[in-house]
Amino acid sequence: MRAEPWIDLRSDTVTQPTIEMRRAMARADVGDDVYGEDPTVNSLESTLAEMVGMEAGLFLPTGTQSNLVALLTHCGRGDEYIVGQQAHTYKYEGGGAAVLGGIQPQPLDFSEFGGLNLQQVEAAIKPLNDHFARTRLLCLENTMQGKVLPVQYLIEANRLASNRELKLHLDGARVFNAAVALSVDVAAITTQFTTVSVCLSKGLGAPAGSVLLGSSDFIKEARRWRKVTGGGMRQAGILAAAGLYALEHNIQRLAEDHLHARLLQEGLCDLGYQAAPAQTNMVFVDIGDFDIELFSRSIQGQGIRINPARRLRLVTHLDISEADIKKTIKAFAACRSL
Ligand SMILES: *Cc1c(COP(=O)(O)O)cnc(C)c1O
């Protein structure tokens, strides 16, 4: 055991539930959620639905399953969704939509700002013709690798989707980071979409859980797919209580994580590292010609956990303080002389 806790910058998924969050979990009223009888799950679903301006919500164990259930509900076998090459719903979910739904992805390169070029999206929509998969859905991600999509872009994507009769899904794993960064109500973002998936286990600090949001009819169908994919939990209110606690206490404080990311980025740039300006809670930093293993071991030896890479992703979160940021900058300073 280390005497001091790690400064863990690998992801915002590593947060530990606080004592207060654990107390809320212990106090939760629960029931069997497959019967729709868990009052805490029901409360989480309706609370978040109201926040994002949608009719209904569905609590799921993970964001991957939430996106998968969205895809299975929007698309049938031989249908297609348009998605970014580096999108979680394409690259990081094990090909689930294809494996389980016979749904074909049409990946496109992301633009520099984190969205898909809408002319390219339009060009990728297949004509109605027996040769082609049927293009049903456009998927966006916000934030995308820490980048915030402008609301005006979302309005244009919405217009394109409705003109071309596509559904529009948001992988909003970190949509509250986007809302806080723009100082807008989250509904200004989410109401541009047909459906939205929100993670409670990222910056919001809950131990597990995501919520899929959409119309009542959509969520009724999604509930079936949740059961089919094995995501129907029973006394899930224990987990939902953590989510409700997070919605109440951990949204506005995301601004601190964004500030810490900015301080870290500025500190690293002052040391001569190439680090892109942080819009939310992620800093991407290039370690240049350093040996990746050597560099990572040196950082780790100074009590800081990172995922080794030439372009490092450093993520700030609930368990990272300003003092931790200062220590991290010192550790990177020490590495300059490796
Ligand atoms: C984390 C994440 C998800 C969901 O991941 P789970 O680990 O399955 O909860 C989905 N999309 C994005 C962009 C994510 O970062």
Side-chain angles (χ1 to χ4, degrees), residues 2 13 20 47 75-76 90 115 126 155 195 199 228 266 276 303 306 323:
R2 293 177 55 81
T13 55
E20 293 77 18
T47 301
C75 300
Y90 170 58
K126 316 254 181 313
I155 291 169
T195 54
C199 281
V228 171
E266 287 165 8
I306 56 170

Side-chain angles (χ1 to χ4, degrees), residues 9-12 144-147 257-269 273-287 306-307 309-317 320 325 328-329 332:
L9 297 171
R10 290 173 302 170
S11 177
D12 47 9
M144 208 298 284
Q145 297 183 354
K147 292 176 186 170
D257 299 343
H258 300 176
L259 174 65
H260 290 159
R262 224 162 34 242
L263 294 175
L264 180 56
Q265 185 263 345
E266 287 165 8
L268 295 178
C269 283
Y273 287 96
Q274 297 274 342
Q279 294 181 23
T280 56
N281 68 331
M282 291 184 192
V283 178
F284 288 87
V285 51
D286 224 301
I287 63 166
I306 56 170
N307 288 316
R310 187 151 309 283
R311 186 165 180 263
L312 296 170
R313 185 190 78 161
L314 308 176
V315 188
T316 58
H317 52 75
I320 299 293
I325 296 297
T328 303
I329 293 168
F332 274 79

Side-chain angles (χ1 to χ4, degrees), residues 93-122:
E93 297 183 1
V99 173
L100 296 159
I103 304 162
Q104 163 173 296
Q106 167 61 70
L108 299 176
D109 287 329
F110 276 118
S111 299
E112 189 53 36
F113 74 96
L116 296 172
N117 176 305
L118 294 179
Q119 274 95 45
Q120 285 174 17
V121 168
E122 186 132 38

